[in-house]
Amino acid sequence: LYAQVLLSCYGVTLGVESTIVSPSYVYRAYCGDVPWTPGLDWLTTNVQLFQLVLKAFRFSFKLLFDQASLGPLEGPEELLGWLEECERDWYVGLVSDSGWQDAVLQEKPFLFSLGHDLTMGTYTGRVLTLRELPVQVGRLNAEGVRGQWANLSWELLYATNDDEERYSIQAHPVLLRNLTVQAADPPLGYPIHSSRPLHLPCF
């Protein structure tokens, strides 16, 4: 029974009469837009089976992609290990799929998608890798900022230095002088324009 279902799904996906599969056919099947065959209606009525067939097709394409770039697998054990790794650490699909967003939220180590550049007429593979990104966090001393503002007040109001390239607005990598000077209250600094909180979705 399993063999019959497997062969039926294979015939629906690639076509039992197909001898040469074109890149456009593979891309359409990868996207889930399987060209119509007599058995397609039967397959699509079972949503779970259709999703499994689509996943198997995408995995097989990823396997072909890896073998073309990295070399063939040595045997059945290595193939089994590759499938387990792909199931555990990879999401193979489309960027527009909801599963892609879920994989990002689940912090899947690797994401793979297939694309088609209509302008160049080429097909592209995209691989994203999860990695740690170091971020520097610091805090400015409040007295240091107030000291800069006091110097700014003296320079502009008492020394009347209106040079656009004056020393007090030159950047300083530790004190962030260019930013703190701009944050001073007008007319010494620059007016801060604000608005109500805006929600910016990440994807």
Side-chain angles (χ1 to χ4, degrees), residues 9-31 33-35 37 57 60-61 64 114 123:
C9 295
Y10 173 82
V12 171
T13 306
L14 295 179
V16 293
E17 297 180 356
S18 299
T19 56
I20 300 178
V21 179
S22 65
S24 61
Y25 189 103
V26 173
Y27 177 72
R28 288 181 60 186
Y30 183 94
C31 294
D33 182 20
V34 181
T37 57
F57 182 86
S60 63
F61 177 84
L64 178 64
L114 189 63
Y123 297 92

Side-chain angles (χ1 to χ4, degrees), residues 25-201:
Y25 189 103
V26 173
Y27 177 72
R28 288 181 60 186
Y30 183 94
C31 294
D33 182 20
V34 181
W36 186 87
T37 57
L40 181 61
D41 294 335
W42 162 78
L43 180 59
T44 54
T45 54
N46 190 326
V47 178
Q48 185 177 7
L49 180 59
F50 179 74
Q51 291 300 323
L52 286 175
V53 171
L54 181 60
K55 184 177 182 179
F57 182 86
R58 290 174 173 177
F59 274 26
S60 63
F61 177 84
K62 177 67 171 57
L63 176 61
L64 178 64
F65 187 87
D66 288 353
Q67 291 194 55
S69 56
L70 303 177
L73 299 178
E74 296 298 331
E77 293 183 357
E78 188 175 357
L79 174 59
L80 180 60
W82 183 92
L83 291 172
E84 292 175 347
E85 178 188 356
C86 202
E87 177 69 23
R88 181 183 65 251
D89 298 335
W90 286 80
Y91 175 79
V92 181
L94 297 173
V95 178
S96 57
D97 291 342
S98 59
W100 182 280
Q101 300 179 14
D102 296 337
V104 172
L105 295 176
Q106 295 170 7
E107 297 185 350
K108 282 277 189 178
F110 306 101
L111 306 176
F112 177 86
S113 66
L114 189 63
H116 182 205
D117 189 339
L118 297 176
T119 304
M120 301 295 295
T122 58
Y123 297 92
T124 58
R126 182 181 184 186
V127 178
L128 299 182
T129 303
L130 178 67
R131 63 176 185 174
E132 293 185 358
L133 182 63
V135 177
Q136 297 181 354
V137 179
R139 184 178 66 178
L140 288 174
N141 184 284
E143 291 300 325
V145 175
R146 282 192 286 268
Q148 293 181 65
W149 289 349
N151 177 74
L152 180 65
S153 177
W154 175 87
E155 185 178 19
L156 294 181
L157 298 180
Y158 293 94
T160 63
N161 182 5
D162 60 353
D163 185 3
E164 294 182 354
E165 297 298 327
R166 61 184 183 274
Y167 178 76
S168 62
I169 61 174
Q170 300 303 311
H172 192 287
V174 177
L175 296 176
L176 302 179
R177 183 166 48 215
N178 55 338
L179 297 179
T180 53
V181 167
Q182 293 182 25
D185 292 333
L188 303 180
Y190 296 87
I192 299 177
H193 300 278
S194 61
S195 65
R196 61 183 180 82
L198 301 177
H199 175 68
L200 301 176

